[in-house]
Amino acid sequence: MTRKIIISPLIRASALSLVAFSLGALVNLAYATEQNPDLEAQDESSTVIYPASFFQPYNPVSVNDMIDRIPGVSISGNSGGRGLGSGGDLLINGQRLAGKDNSPRDQLSRIAAREVERIEIIRGTSGELAVRGSGQVVNVVLQDSGARASTSVELSTDRQIDGSLQPGGSISHSRQSGGLSVMLSAAADPQYWHEERLERSFAPDLTPTQLMEEDKVRDRMRYQTSAIMGYQLNQHRMQLNALYATADHPVDVDRSYFAPGTNNQLTRLEREQFDNVNNNWEVGGDYEYTFDDGSRALLLFIVNSDTNDYTRNRFDNDAPGQIDGEERKTLFIDSDRQTQERIVQTTYNWGLTDTQDMQVGVERAQTILDSALLIGRDSGSTAPSPEFGGLRPALGVSNLGSTVEEMRYEGFAVHNWTLNDRMTLESSVEYETSEISLSGSASNSREFSFIKPSVDYRFNITEALQLRATVGKEVQQLSFENFSATANTSDNEQDANAGNPDLVPTQEVRYELTLEYRLPNETGVVSSRFFLRDLEDQIGRVDATVNPSSPISAAGNIGDAKRWGVYLDGSTRLNMLGLPDALISTSLYLFDSEVTDALLGTTERINGRGRFQLGFQHDVTRWNFNYGFNYGMPLNGGNRNVDISSIDWSHDPTSLTMFVSTVMFDDVTFRLESNNTLGDEWCRNRVRYDGTTASGQIRELEDACWSAGQKLALKVRTTF
């Protein structure tokens, strides 16, 4: 299968915007002739230091506010991948976060800006770092004042397009006394969602057959509490993290079906009720001992649990408006899932020479998924059962209860070598062995072992220009939900997906080449990152049909695949326009990929084509005023999702978030945000087939679009 390469006007405009940005960056370079007194020069390890005084004119409330003022810096979220991994790209006082459910950005929002001494942007590799393999690391250094305390409060109100108002808020308190530090926080995050959907159906000859209008309301509030306690005494340092969150909520769905025509006659009403139970907790900690010779021993552990249960009831009325038009129950789904992790990792770091150091470590991780899926329908030959909502059990697609457990052990060694004052080399090797077992509705047990080497080379061509080259092997985390039957939440005509107990992890070899240029005096950053991924045992959809009259699919390994692309990023202050406190950021991501689809035998993409993003913010410091926007536009088209009896084309919307904030009464920040400002819609084109997609016999065409409209949020924050 040959693809035509078409460069759309949209992509041309995006590319031209990056060219314009690069020219602007060069002009900015010409203007940046005076040294900023608030910035410390780069040292030999390519570390840029932003002291707290740099951020004072912007009146930041939290560390997040400070990070947003630094060009070219982003902090990734937790990946939720295998075990504790390499530690991410955020350090606090030189230490990694002992947690997986604690979002790095959430943690930074709880730290008051007044507690920060400096923020370091570390571009090199070193055994001194508690993380490894990151492009750059952000280290937030807090004041060591012996005794300090602060409390931050935020109150918020969200207004949805339907006029509903949801209040929320958070409070955090941090305190340090000698070597003891404590941070406590509690938050109520409104996550209300009102979505309207319109779906049109057509016969193969494009004759309209049905019109469906859907109204969906999710009334959710997420409550979370967390605590972080740390203690340091001479050579000993320890930290304990705890988190608990709950977000139980209902979802109500109403659907109206119309016969197309001049009057669009109402033919059927459908109603669904969801009762969701969502909660999670996590406890993590670490202990570090520093020996007299500078070597360090570190022990980390995490225990967590995540519960995601829901009950779904569907009711139909085939004669709405008529006397005998009574509502009847047609579908019942009870889905229960609980995931637990128990992980412990220990490492030892020591110096080999003045320019080389070594880290060795071992990790043990246990992951358990307990799941059950009960599906009841108003048709079938089995007797109605109360456990299946009073309907007839659909035993062929139900999961009466199963447990998937993985026991994984990993040993690793990392060698850091400062080749000279401009080059560093980090090389590592990991050996992983694991056993995955399935019990309950099906039984299976398999063992795996992998060797994962990697090399990270960095060359400071100049003080501002850095080249990074990385080659490494990785093993992707399996989704244990794919081992057993799960509810299908994306297709109202298909209740469940089959399980596949024979899944194996996807392996990949990744190649990356990055060039990063930092403008003088840290006024901006321009970078390009090229990547290639060779994937083995890629996971996609496979045919799991038992009854030919009811085709069903499951996740399965479908063979080798490739992914490649480029990330182009730029961020700069608008010094050339006389606006040194204005920051503009732009990104253009272009991707492609290919895999042989197991259902059709065709070459398909396995991910999107890319995205264009533009961000701007301007601090008017003399008025204590700040405003800006973030715009994102996906590059849609060219990829499709093939399933057992349908093919989908999805079209993501553009996004525009706008904000304005001001500081009043000396230390109270008022911020007004507009999300989904353009009210853009998600859209999907679906083709349904008689039997399977391989038959080629089209049964129906569907066009659907949905949106939740604009959301306004008012936030009031202060620290005392």
Side-chain angles (χ1 to χ4, degrees):
M1 177 178 179
T2 303
R3 293 198 188 105
K4 294 182 179 180
I5 300 176
I6 301 176
I7 303 178
S8 69
L10 188 62
I11 297 179
R12 292 193 192 101
S14 302
L16 287 174
S17 69
L18 277 177
V19 172
F21 174 85
S22 300
L23 293 174
L26 293 175
V27 175
N28 200 10
L29 187 153
Y31 276 82
T33 56
E34 296 184 3
Q35 178 69 29
N36 189 329
D38 288 328
L39 287 180
E40 296 184 21
Q42 295 174 313
D43 59 21
E44 293 182 355
S45 62
S46 299
T47 298
V48 183
I49 299 175
Y50 287 81
S53 58
F54 174 84
F55 304 97
Q56 287 179 352
Y58 309 125
N59 295 300
V61 176
S62 69
V63 177
N64 272 335
D65 299 328
M66 305 170 81
I67 296 292
D68 290 340
R69 266 69 177 192
I70 302 177
V73 171
S74 63
I75 297 176
S76 61
N78 290 327
S79 63
R82 304 174 72 80
L84 290 172
S86 59
D89 55 7
L90 173 65
L91 301 175
I92 297 178
N93 286 335
Q95 305 302 323
R96 62 186 289 184
L97 305 178
K100 295 184 70 175
D101 290 340
N102 256 324
S103 163
R105 276 290 191 174
D106 286 347
Q107 292 230 25
L108 295 182
S109 69
R110 302 173 195 137
I111 302 176
R114 65 172 61 177
E115 297 183 5
V116 176
E117 177 181 310
R118 65 183 185 275
I119 295 178
E120 301 174 345
I121 312 301
I122 305 171
R123 302 166 63 210
T125 62
S126 170
E128 298 295 322
L129 298 177
V131 298
R132 62 184 190 272
S134 295
Q136 65 179 12
V137 177
V138 177
N139 182 29
V140 180
V141 181
L142 304 180
Q143 297 176 6
D144 186 13
S145 57
R148 55 179 169 82
S150 67
T151 301
S152 297
V153 177
E154 177 178 286
L155 300 177
S156 66
T157 298
D158 293 348
R159 185 186 186 279
Q160 306 290 337
I161 195 171
D162 60 6
S164 60
L165 298 175
Q166 291 79 43
S170 65
I171 182 171
S172 61
H173 176 77
S174 62
R175 179 177 296 271
Q176 178 180 338
S177 179
L180 178 65
S181 61
V182 178
M183 182 184 300
L184 306 173
S185 67
D189 180 18
Q191 298 178 348
Y192 179 91
W193 183 266
H194 186 180
E195 178 182 286
E196 294 181 346
R197 181 188 190 102
L198 181 65
E199 181 176 288
R200 295 181 172 88
S201 300
F202 304 87
D205 62 357
L206 300 183
T207 301
T209 58
Q210 184 174 262
L211 176 68
M212 187 270 285
E213 295 179 355
E214 179 183 275
D215 190 84
K216 182 177 182 179
V217 176
R218 180 189 70 191
D219 190 6
R220 181 165 71 185
M221 176 74 76
R222 187 173 190 269
Y223 300 94
Q224 177 177 303
T225 61
S226 64
I228 302 176
M229 293 174 285
Y231 183 72
Q232 185 163 357
L233 177 64
N234 300 327
Q235 297 166 290
H236 305 268
R237 186 197 60 82
M238 59 198 72
Q239 181 176 266
L240 182 67
N241 299 345
L243 174 146
Y244 176 77
T246 181
D248 299 352
H249 65 279
V251 176
D252 295 309
V253 183
D254 292 295
R255 302 187 185 98
S256 300
Y257 294 85
F258 300 89
T262 56
N263 296 323
N264 281 342
Q265 180 183 358
L266 180 64
T267 60
R268 181 162 65 95
L269 292 176
E270 188 174 86
R271 180 172 62 90
E272 290 191 359
Q273 291 179 327
F274 291 75
D275 290 316
N276 293 268
V277 177
N278 302 135
N279 60 74
N280 66 286
W281 60 265
E282 179 177 271
V283 176
D286 62 85
Y287 168 75
E288 183 179 66
Y289 181 80
T290 303
F291 295 89
D292 293 337
D293 60 359
S295 58
R296 308 189 315 276
L298 176 65
L299 175 70
L300 300 99
F301 76 92
I302 287 179
V303 180
N304 60 35
S305 175
D306 186 5
T307 298
N308 189 354
D309 302 341
Y310 73 84
T311 302
R312 174 184 177 189
N313 289 281
R314 178 186 293 173
F315 304 88
D316 278 12
N317 185 341
D318 293 331
Q322 301 182 18
I323 297 178
D324 58 349
E326 296 182 356
E327 188 177 67
R328 73 183 191 283
K329 190 174 183 178
T330 59
L331 178 67
F332 170 84
I333 297 179
D334 183 25
S335 174
D336 297 333
R337 300 199 307 270
Q338 182 185 35
T339 304
Q340 303 174 72
E341 287 184 302
R342 305 180 182 105
I343 310 170
V344 61
Q345 182 187 95
T346 181
T347 62
Y348 178 66
N349 295 66
W350 76 99
L352 297 174
T353 67
D354 291 340
T355 59
Q356 300 182 54
D357 49 62
M358 194 79 184
Q359 179 190 81
V360 295
V362 294
E363 179 175 295
R364 176 188 184 272
Q366 180 187 32
T367 305
I368 302 172
L369 171 65
D370 294 309
S371 64
L373 177 66
L374 306 181
I375 298 180
R377 298 170 177 157
D378 62 346
S379 61
S381 58
T382 56
S385 169
E387 295 183 18
F388 290 77
L391 299 179
R392 302 178 184 276
L395 299 176
V397 292
S398 294
N399 167 22
L400 301 182
S402 63
T403 298
V404 182
E405 179 179 357
E406 180 186 40
M407 288 294 303
R408 183 175 59 83
Y409 297 88
E410 181 179 287
F412 55 88
V414 183
H415 177 252
N416 276 282
W417 187 3
T418 302
L419 301 174
N420 53 47
D421 59 357
R422 297 167 61 190
M423 299 183 190
T424 62
L425 180 68
E426 179 182 278
S427 55
S428 67
V429 62
E430 303 174 27
Y431 175 74
E432 173 187 316
T433 178
S434 64
E435 179 181 5
I436 299 178
S437 59
L438 172 66
S439 60
S441 57
S443 297
N444 195 11
S445 179
R446 289 162 302 146
E447 295 183 354
F448 303 96
S449 61
F450 306 99
I451 297 178
K452 301 179 291 184
S454 68
V455 175
D456 184 335
Y457 169 75
R458 307 193 184 195
F459 175 33
N460 294 329
I461 301 173
T462 67
E463 193 174 78
L465 181 63
Q466 184 184 70
L467 178 143
R468 297 195 293 265
T470 303
V471 180
K473 182 177 180 180
E474 295 181 354
V475 178
Q476 297 181 6
Q477 175 70 58
L478 283 171
S479 175
F480 290 170
E481 295 178 7
N482 291 330
F483 282 70
S484 305
T486 57
N488 188 324
T489 58
S490 62
D491 190 344
N492 291 332
E493 295 190 14
Q494 187 172 344
D495 302 330
N497 296 314
N500 183 356
D502 297 320
L503 282 173
V504 302
T506 299
Q507 303 178 59
E508 71 171 53
V509 179
R510 57 185 178 89
Y511 308 87
E512 290 188 1
L513 182 66
T514 302
L515 276 172
E516 179 184 276
Y517 178 71
R518 305 187 76 89
L519 301 179
N521 305 326
E522 290 305 304
T523 53
V525 178
V526 180
S527 70
S528 59
R529 176 161 64 97
F530 304 87
F531 73 89
L532 171 66
R533 305 277 196 270
D534 278 324
L535 301 145
E536 179 182 344
D537 292 323
Q538 171 68 20
I539 294 177
R541 306 306 297 178
V542 298
D543 191 345
T545 301
V546 177
N547 181 359
S549 63
S550 301
I552 192 170
S553 65
N557 298 104
I558 60 175
D560 297 340
K562 289 184 181 296
R563 296 178 57 208
W564 61 92
V566 58
Y567 294 85
L568 303 174
D569 295 281
S571 178
T572 186
R573 301 187 184 280
L574 300 181
N575 290 5
M576 78 292 285
L577 301 179
L579 299 173
D581 294 321
L583 182 66
I584 186 170
S585 302
T586 184
S587 302
L588 177 62
Y589 304 155
L590 299 174
F591 309 139
D592 208 346
S593 56
E594 62 180 23
V595 69
T596 301
D597 181 75
L599 298 172
L600 295 181
T602 55
T603 299
E604 304 289 343
R605 288 188 172 96
I606 55 176
N607 63 313
R609 297 179 58 205
R611 188 172 183 83
F612 171 72
Q613 296 182 161
L614 178 66
F616 172 79
Q617 69 170 350
H618 181 206
D619 288 279
V620 186
T621 55
R622 66 177 180 273
W623 294 341
N624 291 331
F625 183 73
N626 170 250
Y627 67 96
F629 67 86
N630 289 287
Y631 174 78
M633 178 183 62
L635 305 182
N636 288 311
N639 59 297
R640 59 183 186 170
N641 178 38
V642 180
D643 208 340
I644 185 66
S645 57
S646 65
I647 299 178
D648 293 352
W649 290 261
S650 296
H651 306 273
D652 295 335
T654 58
S655 63
L656 176 62
T657 298
M658 305 174 68
F659 66 90
V660 58
S661 68
T662 185
V663 179
M664 302 176 66
F665 314 114
D666 293 332
D667 58 358
V668 180
T669 300
F670 294 82
R671 179 182 173 98
L672 179 64
E673 297 178 357
S674 172
N675 298 287
N676 194 25
T677 306
L678 303 177
D680 286 315
E681 297 179 321
W682 287 262
C683 290
R684 184 205 66 216
N685 304 116
R686 172 173 285 168
V687 179
R688 295 189 183 277
Y689 293 81
D690 281 325
T692 66
T693 52
S695 70
Q697 300 297 316
I698 296 177
R699 172 169 62 89
E700 185 180 54
L701 307 174
E702 293 178 358
D703 291 336
C705 289
W706 59 96
S707 175
Q710 182 186 24
K711 183 181 79 171
L712 298 176
L714 176 63
K715 300 179 180 180
V716 182
R717 300 184 294 173
T718 188
T719 300
F720 53 88

